[in-house]
Amino acid sequence: QVQLVESGGGLVQAGGSLRLSCAVPGSIFSISTMGWYRQAPGKFRELLGSVTSGGSINYVDSVKGRFTISRDNAKNTVSLQMNSLVPEDTAVYYCNAKGSSWPYDYDYWGQGTQVTVSA
């Protein structure tokens, strides 16, 4: 059973920052595209951004300039630095690992970590 373990969520005031981390098993980290998602109450889970195994990073427009994804290949972790937080960023945040290990494709999720931004 592959487990992704997120940490770093919590309560922060608007304008503040939080850093989320996701620990990934070493057996899959180097070959995975890692993504960060969030799901607010009553809404669909949305992609925030991703980083490929080669280090290419993409973001959705709504978080560009505020959120930064990074991966540490030595520690098998991926992080999400969130700045200038607003109440609309309140959600459960998830990390995701996608990839292929012949003959299987995989798609693993963390348990989620709550981020609450107060006005």
Side-chain angles (χ1 to χ4, degrees), residues 10-117:
L11 174 64
V12 64
Q13 288 188 328
S17 299
L18 276 177
R19 185 178 180 87
L20 308 182
S21 292
C22 177
V24 184
S27 58
I28 64 167
F29 183 75
S30 64
I31 61 173
S32 297
T33 291
M34 298 301 305
W36 282 100
Y37 293 72
R38 69 184 178 191
Q39 187 167 16
K43 294 190 176 181
F44 291 109
R45 190 172 297 187
E46 62 170 337
L47 173 67
L48 302 176
S50 63
V51 54
T52 68
S53 57
S56 178
I57 301 175
N58 288 284
Y59 302 95
V60 298
D61 287 344
S62 60
V63 303
K64 278 182 182 176
R66 295 193 304 128
F67 290 8
T68 302
I69 293 172
S70 60
R71 68 188 291 158
D72 186 330
N73 292 328
K75 296 182 178 179
N76 295 334
T77 59
V78 61
S79 297
L80 179 67
Q81 176 68 41
M82 304 184 292
N83 299 326
S84 303
L85 287 162
V86 297
E88 291 73 24
D89 293 317
T90 296
V92 178
Y93 285 69
Y94 299 89
C95 67
N96 171 265
K98 287 186 175 67
S100 294
S101 181
W102 192 88
Y104 304 108
D105 294 334
Y106 58 85
D107 186 358
Y108 298 122
W109 293 88
Q111 81 283 2
T113 186
Q114 178 70 45
V115 171
T116 303
V117 183

